[in-house]
Amino acid sequence: MALAKNPNTNTEPKMSLIRLEAKEDEKTGLFYLEIYHPADAEQPLVTTEPRYKTAAAAENDFIAIIATKTNLLR
């Protein structure tokens, strides 16, 4: 699937640097994240422990951690 050009800049879209996949642990029913870098890697760079009740909660926690760390660097 080809990505469309950005209509505001008429430039090609950039490739994602990371990929997040929230997955459900069969034993606990909780979700964990697999973080892939580069985005097209076959194996995850990082896998979290299953501790989230939903996939959305796992993804939101990741975003919150990144945002907090970024704000600490300022």
Side-chain angles (χ1 to χ4, degrees), residues 3 12-18 38-40:
L3 297 175
E12 296 292 331
K14 301 212 186 274
M15 179 73 162
S16 297
L17 299 178
I18 64 170
D40 61 353

Side-chain angles (χ1 to χ4, degrees), residues 27-65:
K27 293 180 185 177
T28 64
L30 297 173
F31 287 83
Y32 61 94
L33 279 179
E34 290 184 340
I35 304 167
Y36 294 82
H37 183 278
D40 61 353
E42 292 185 22
Q43 298 295 319
L45 177 66
V46 176
T47 302
T48 68
E49 294 294 321
R51 60 178 173 247
Y52 304 99
K53 291 185 179 183
T54 66
E59 293 169 0
N60 287 337
D61 190 45
F62 175 79
I63 292 167
I65 290 167

